[in-house]
Amino acid sequence: MTYDGKLRVWRGDETGGELRDYTVQVNEGEVVLDVIHRLQATQAGDLAVRWNCKAGKCGSCSAEINGKPRLMCLTRMGTFAEDEVVTITPMRTFPVIRDLVTDVSYNYEKAAALPGFEPRPRDADGQHRMQQIDVERSQEFRKCIECFLCQDVCHVVRDHEDNKKVYAGPRFLMRLAELDMHPLDTFDRRKVAQDNMGLGMCNITKCCSEVCPEGIHITDNALIPMKERVVDRKYDPLTWLGAKIGRRPHP
Amino acid sequence: MTERHFYDVVVIGAGGAGLRAAIEAHESGARTAVVCKSLLGKAHTVMAEGGIAASMGNVYPEDNWKVHFRDTMRGGKMLNHWRMAQLHAQEAPDRVRELEDWGALFDRTPAGLISQRDFGGHRFARLAHVGDRTGLELIRTLQQRVVQLGIDVFMECTVTKLLTDDTGITGAFGYRRQDGEFLSWQAPSVVLATGGIGKSYVVTSNSWEYTGDGHSLALQAGATLVNMEFVQFHPTGMVWPISVKGILITESVRGEGGVLKNSDGKRFMFDYIPPYFASETADTEEEADRWYDDHTNNRRPPELLPRDEVARAINSEVKAGRGSPHGGVFLDIASRRSAADIMKRLPSMYHQFKELAEVDITKEPMEVGPTCHYVMGGVEVDPDTAAARIRGLYAAGEVAGGMHGSNRLGGNSLSDLLVFGRRAGGSAAEYAKGKSGGGRLSDEVLAEAEEHALAPFSRRGGENPYTVHRDLQETMNELVGIIRTAPEVQQALDKIEALKVRATALSVEGERPYNPGWHLSLDLPNMLRVSECIARAALEREESRGGHTRDDFPTPTAEWGGLNLICSEQDGSIALTRQALPQMPDDLAELFEEKKQ
């Protein structure tokens, strides 16, 4: 039931680092985060790692395990052979702070730049009325735990640092779709999505959907419908005419 | 050199209470900052699953604040501060509705209103919810509101000291995890919203952040704690695999029809209905099962008794040898609801068991057992203003005491965060008007705080903080856990004394940037201080009530029913005093007499 697991963990900071090998006890049913914690408690007290809930609900312990973006708390050691070396590295798309901890401020900057929720007024009796079927579309996207694995895997920014300036990444493009589909929201974000958030740069390879620990259909249910809505607006003849005669903003 | 910041209101903690406080302070015109140990949006509130209790009456129109108030007081075995319970019940519906104005998307009733679900101890279905991820919805909604308002957030910063002078609070001091540098926030008002203490126990549903920081900071600054002996053990934590032991299974499983069974397949909760709740609890399986569709003519299933009752019952079944293979009992929803219903109503639970235990809850029962979940005790506050007993200090959410008495009802935590978060933020902003937090914080004070925080680096050859932490967790779990006795609690106090000595001699390896060993060495004194308060109060209160069960004093007593226990710190040691419970006014007291029959 218990065995000596072989871990290879990236240790270092923004100035550089290396993969280091460790042998750590592994017990039945454990996940990668358990073993990382044991490593920290017994051999590497200063090993930097983010975590909170250890139950797949907070999205803190994102890393790359054998090269795949994953949550450490939801990756069972049982999915690897006992003699297999499990390699754990920080998310590649973000600058390293130390060891497995990266600087994810890119995501917080994009969140802050996004036009927020603008609801319609409440009904006369002080209530908002919405049907379940109408809230479910946005509810799917609100399952997002902001682990940023979709941002990490997205090839638009993964190896193209410059694109970060103009591209919000799947998580925040999905947030735009969420607001767009929100039954109470009144603000049209289609132009922002295209011009400021880089929606057009997404070429729907679905990598984001594949790594999402919540199983959200980011590409199919959020990004593609949002692209369609933007196209509708951009090529809508009335919008075009309105822009020509100065009645509407340019598409 | 310490980086200096200046605000009117500094909120410590970015869970539901902290964010709600920050929004209110900001909207009241105060320059407001939030300081939090994790990234924004990761606070423990995300773990809340079931819902927000509020008597909106969307499902049962006969529900109202008085019923909610009565349920809350009875759930807390009447030790709640009546005024907090009243404000909470009265204001919760508005706090839920305003979340919708900020973008929250709750599940709906057929009429399009916010749907409400059943939970333990609540007479009517009143928990506003989003599947079983309500906490995530709450935190994300508040987080997005905070970002939209442009409130300053200091992420991954830990406060190690509250700064005071003879006028009261002058600010807070702490470090930034990323680079290990120090910061001070000078401010006349500080709101504590730091959550709970669960990391002092081995088996807990709480995250690493729950080290009792706010409780400890308040004590050291001269404030008081009330009723620290009351710790809630949630009846249903995971028990297997061992690595996930303690992770929460939402009470909604029972609210949605799940039942508890022992190894004989018996629904044992019928054997554990206390006289106090007998008149409102079903005593046959038939009545209990009818209740899900008709609350008016049937009484509640015993699986939905308050958490303290259910946790003790599970504990007894396991002790009597009727437990599950891994030392819990069975929670069965598979045989009671269709797979489609389970997936729809409890998607996170399905996901959690599938991923972490390889159990399909639509086909098999779950194995569950009690887990340290919540501390009812906390900073003693004025109910209306959330002010602690030192000027400029406020507390809201789990870190505050009084609201939940000796036991909290499920769903009352999220509503508590919103109601008292808002009140704390508003009062803190009001108090800060025209004040600056005293004169400039002196270099000496900051230098001393720095030196104290850096001490573990200067010691060589000392113990590793992880070992001391583990020993504390085992001590609290074994000796001040769900069932207590005087000799065991006394033994825990002796052990805590020894751990305190060990904690002063810790050393940490590595450097200052993002060093979890160092961070833990600074959290440990907080955990030790709070654990001592819990143990001291648990030894003093010679009765059993709510989240405090004494095997040597197995029943509640009228005398203790009128007493709060107050912890304060004097010359570095904890002092315990008895204080009479505030008297409920007659018009509220009548609510309890009427229903007695």
Side-chain angles (χ1 to χ4, degrees):
Chain A
M1 290 299 166
T2 293
Y3 65 95
D4 286 336
K6 296 184 181 64
L7 292 195
R8 188 167 290 162
V9 183
W10 196 87
R11 303 293 312 266
D13 57 26
E14 75 275 14
T15 63
E18 59 181 7
L19 286 167
R20 259 184 241 169
D21 288 298
Y22 298 95
T23 301
V24 190
Q25 185 187 317
V26 181
N27 302 321
E28 189 187 359
E30 286 188 334
V31 293
V32 170
L33 186 59
D34 290 313
V35 184
I36 287 288
H37 279 157
R38 187 166 300 118
L39 171 60
Q40 197 182 44
T42 56
Q43 302 175 44
D46 62 342
L47 172 64
V49 54
R50 272 198 190 102
W51 71 287
N52 282 66
C53 76
K54 211 170 107 44
K57 291 187 165 61
C58 75
S60 299
C61 61
S62 307
E64 301 194 3
I65 302 172
N66 291 346
K68 293 204 180 80
R70 303 196 57 135
L71 292 179
M72 286 188 270
C73 72
L74 289 188
T75 306
R76 293 165 64 85
M77 288 301 288
T79 57
F80 309 106
E82 291 190 6
D83 57 357
E84 188 178 348
V85 176
V86 180
T87 304
I88 305 154
T89 49
M91 288 192 283
R92 194 170 89 196
T93 300
F94 310 116
V96 164
I97 293 175
R98 255 196 80 223
D99 303 339
L100 300 176
V101 175
T102 55
D103 176 356
V104 291
S105 49
Y106 162 68
N107 301 290
Y108 287 91
E109 285 155 19
K110 294 300 175 189
L114 191 148
F117 179 62
E118 301 267 354
R120 70 177 189 221
R122 296 186 191 184
D123 297 347
D125 63 353
Q127 306 276 9
H128 281 303
R129 282 177 180 75
M130 294 178 263
Q131 289 305 308
Q132 182 65 30
I133 194 162
D134 296 324
V135 302
E136 276 172 7
R137 293 192 303 170
S138 292
Q139 276 184 336
E140 181 191 2
F141 311 139
R142 292 183 70 82
K143 277 163 47 183
C144 171
I145 56 173
E146 297 200 330
C147 62
F148 307 130
L149 290 174
C150 60
Q151 306 284 85
D152 178 45
V153 82
C154 181
H155 58 88
V156 177
V157 284
R158 187 165 170 92
D159 292 310
H160 303 280
E161 189 64 28
D162 286 351
N163 286 344
K164 286 185 181 170
K165 288 197 282 292
V166 290
Y167 182 69
R171 193 279 170 262
F172 298 101
L173 295 171
M174 178 177 83
R175 166 76 171 144
L176 292 174
E178 173 209 316
L179 290 166
D180 196 61
M181 296 179 198
H182 195 300
L184 299 182
D185 189 64
T186 58
F187 189 80
D188 186 347
R189 292 175 185 74
R190 288 179 294 179
K191 190 169 159 54
V192 173
Q194 194 66 12
D195 298 352
N196 304 38
M197 297 283 172
L199 179 64
M201 297 171 81
C202 159
N203 45 15
I204 56 173
T205 51
K206 301 196 183 185
C207 309
C208 51
S209 309
E210 276 167 29
V211 299
C212 178
E214 286 292 312
I216 303 171
H217 298 99
I218 304 172
T219 317
D220 289 348
N221 291 354
L223 305 188
I224 292 175
M226 195 65 197
K227 277 171 174 277
E228 285 168 351
R229 298 255 297 127
V230 167
V231 168
D232 285 351
R233 180 180 189 279
K234 200 159 178 164
Y235 298 105
D236 175 6
L238 278 179
T239 310
W240 176 83
L241 186 67
K244 277 284 170 200
I245 59 176
R247 296 281 174 113
R248 282 168 183 250
H250 282 273
Chain B
M1 273 303 271
T2 303
E3 191 179 300
R4 289 168 181 263
H5 298 275
F6 303 87
Y7 288 94
D8 297 322
V9 175
V10 172
V11 178
I12 307 175
L19 295 179
R20 188 63 190 83
I23 291 168
E24 193 67 14
H26 173 88
E27 289 185 334
S28 309
R31 290 171 304 154
T32 304
V34 177
V35 181
C36 54
K37 281 166 92 170
S38 286
L39 295 173
L40 185 58
K42 307 301 180 192
H44 200 59
T45 306
V46 303
M47 293 292 286
E49 292 160 352
I52 313 174
S55 58
M56 308 174 81
N58 293 350
V59 175
Y60 283 85
E62 54 269 59
D63 199 10
N64 61 54
W65 76 263
K66 288 180 182 170
V67 187
H68 190 185
F69 167 75
R70 182 174 178 274
D71 290 345
T72 299
M73 292 293 304
R74 284 175 56 82
K77 299 274 161 66
M78 305 304 287
L79 214 64
N80 320 52
H81 194 307
W82 65 268
R83 177 64 179 159
M84 292 180 89
Q86 179 190 27
L87 290 169
H88 167 259
Q90 287 174 330
E91 296 178 2
D94 281 344
R95 298 289 79 75
V96 175
R97 277 190 282 267
E98 88 198 342
L99 291 178
E100 282 202 311
D101 290 330
W102 299 340
L105 278 174
F106 293 101
D107 289 345
R108 318 307 295 180
T109 65
L113 299 175
I114 293 172
S115 178
Q116 300 190 268
R117 72 155 40 119
D118 284 308
F119 238 55
H122 292 281
R123 186 176 176 86
F124 296 113
R126 68 162 71 100
L127 267 69
H129 61 275
V130 186
D132 52 3
R133 56 160 190 86
T134 315
L136 174 65
E137 186 70 11
L138 183 111
I139 201 115
R140 201 65 82 230
T141 301
L142 295 173
Q143 170 188 350
Q144 286 163 348
R145 181 73 183 162
V146 160
V147 169
Q148 197 172 2
L149 293 172
I151 297 171
D152 292 345
V153 182
F154 292 81
M155 293 198 281
E156 298 198 305
C157 290
T158 303
V159 170
T160 58
K161 190 176 171 54
L162 293 179
L163 305 170
T164 54
D165 65 11
D166 50 15
T167 66
I169 289 288
T170 56
F173 172 91
Y175 62 87
R176 184 163 46 223
R177 304 171 83 78
Q178 174 160 357
D179 54 12
E181 296 296 327
F182 294 107
L183 304 88
S184 68
W185 298 267
Q186 185 159 352
S189 292
V190 168
V191 178
L192 294 173
T194 52
I197 57 95
K199 271 297 155 190
S200 297
Y201 287 80
V202 183
V203 180
T204 175
S205 63
N206 292 172
S207 82
W208 70 270
E209 295 190 289
Y210 266 38
T211 52
D213 297 7
H215 293 81
S216 173
L217 291 170
L219 268 184
Q220 293 173 82
T224 47
L225 306 183
V226 59
N227 291 345
M228 290 302 291
E229 63 276 33
F230 296 110
V231 177
Q232 180 169 81
F233 291 82
H234 193 290
T236 61
M238 292 177 81
V239 297
W240 184 258
I242 205 83
S243 74
V244 296
K245 192 167 182 173
I247 290 179
L248 189 65
I249 298 159
T250 174
E251 191 165 322
S252 321
V253 176
R254 284 170 284 139
E256 298 292 347
V259 294
L260 293 164
K261 292 178 180 170
N262 63 19
S263 56
D264 303 331
K266 184 179 179 196
R267 264 178 86 172
F268 60 82
M269 279 309 300
F270 289 97
D271 301 339
Y272 294 92
I273 302 169
Y276 190 74
F277 291 111
S279 66
E280 56 201 71
T281 308
D283 50 14
T284 65
E285 292 195 23
E286 293 71 26
E287 181 182 359
D289 286 349
R290 284 196 304 268
W291 174 87
Y292 291 99
D293 298 316
D294 176 6
H295 290 17
T296 315
N297 298 305
N298 298 288
R299 293 170 299 173
R300 210 161 40 225
E303 283 86 1
L304 289 174
L305 282 164
R307 289 174 175 172
D308 53 329
E309 307 288 353
V310 182
R312 273 192 299 271
I314 293 174
N315 197 64
S316 303
E317 284 295 304
V318 174
K319 271 200 173 161
R322 295 187 292 269
S324 66
H326 299 107
V329 295
F330 297 105
L331 173 59
D332 173 26
I333 183 106
S335 75
R336 313 245 322 150
R337 296 290 181 261
S338 73
D341 263 2
I342 297 169
M343 304 278 277
K344 166 78 192 136
R345 294 175 186 274
L346 303 163
S348 310
M349 286 301 104
Y350 175 78
H351 190 233
Q352 178 175 317
F353 272 85
K354 199 88 183 146
E355 296 283 340
L356 297 175
E358 291 174 354
V359 166
D360 181 346
I361 67 166
T362 67
K363 297 198 173 72
E364 303 164 71
M366 297 159 249
E367 278 188 70
V368 302
T371 178
C372 178
H373 184 56
Y374 189 89
V375 62
M376 274 68 72
V379 178
E380 191 186 16
V381 290
D382 172 68
D384 289 76
T385 61
R389 284 199 181 172
I390 170 167
R391 289 168 67 84
L393 187 64
Y394 300 82
E398 190 171 350
V399 69
M403 161 66 210
H404 303 288
S406 69
N407 173 57
R408 174 175 69 78
L409 292 185
N412 273 357
S413 179
L414 294 186
S415 39
D416 168 10
L417 304 181
L418 296 170
V419 167
F420 294 103
R422 174 180 160 277
R423 285 186 163 268
S427 319
E430 181 61 33
Y431 175 78
K433 277 183 186 154
K435 299 189 183 68
S436 62
R440 184 182 154 87
L441 295 172
S442 81
D443 292 331
E444 294 77 54
V445 167
L446 298 179
E448 191 191 315
E450 284 191 22
E451 193 185 317
H452 187 257
L454 290 172
F457 283 114
S458 58
R459 291 188 289 260
R460 287 282 160 252
E463 228 180 335
N464 150 353
Y466 299 96
T467 315
V468 179
H469 183 210
R470 185 75 194 179
D471 289 351
L472 172 66
Q473 289 182 309
E474 281 170 1
T475 300
M476 292 303 285
N477 225 78
E478 283 163 23
L479 303 175
V480 202
I482 185 163
I483 310 288
R484 302 158 176 177
T485 64
E488 287 186 352
V489 176
Q490 185 55 57
Q491 202 187 335
L493 282 165
D494 297 342
K495 288 194 173 195
I496 290 168
E497 278 310 307
L499 288 166
K500 277 157 76 176
V501 175
R502 286 164 64 189
T504 58
L506 296 174
S507 40
V508 296
E509 58 183 302
E511 307 297 326
R512 280 164 61 179
Y514 223 110
N515 185 338
W518 178 39
H519 304 158
L520 180 59
S521 75
L522 297 178
D523 291 341
L524 256 176
N526 294 335
M527 287 187 262
L528 286 162
R529 185 174 284 108
V530 170
S531 295
E532 182 179 347
C533 290
I534 294 171
R536 294 281 297 273
L539 187 61
E540 180 84 357
R541 185 176 284 274
E542 294 184 332
E543 67 158 355
S544 291
R545 180 185 299 271
H548 170 66
T549 303
R550 284 283 297 265
D551 224 13
D552 41 358
F553 297 92
T555 53
T557 70
E559 187 202 348
W560 277 108
L563 288 173
N564 285 329
L565 283 174
I566 307 294
C567 288
S568 58
E569 188 164 289
Q570 281 154 19
D571 307 323
S573 55
I574 307 292
L576 203 59
T577 50
R578 297 179 184 195
Q579 184 173 292
L581 207 66
Q583 198 60 45
M584 190 186 295
D586 292 345
D587 59 327
L588 291 178
E590 277 169 18
L591 292 172
F592 298 88
E593 285 153 22
E594 267 171 51
K595 302 283 166 84
K596 258 181 193 161
Q597 288 156 8

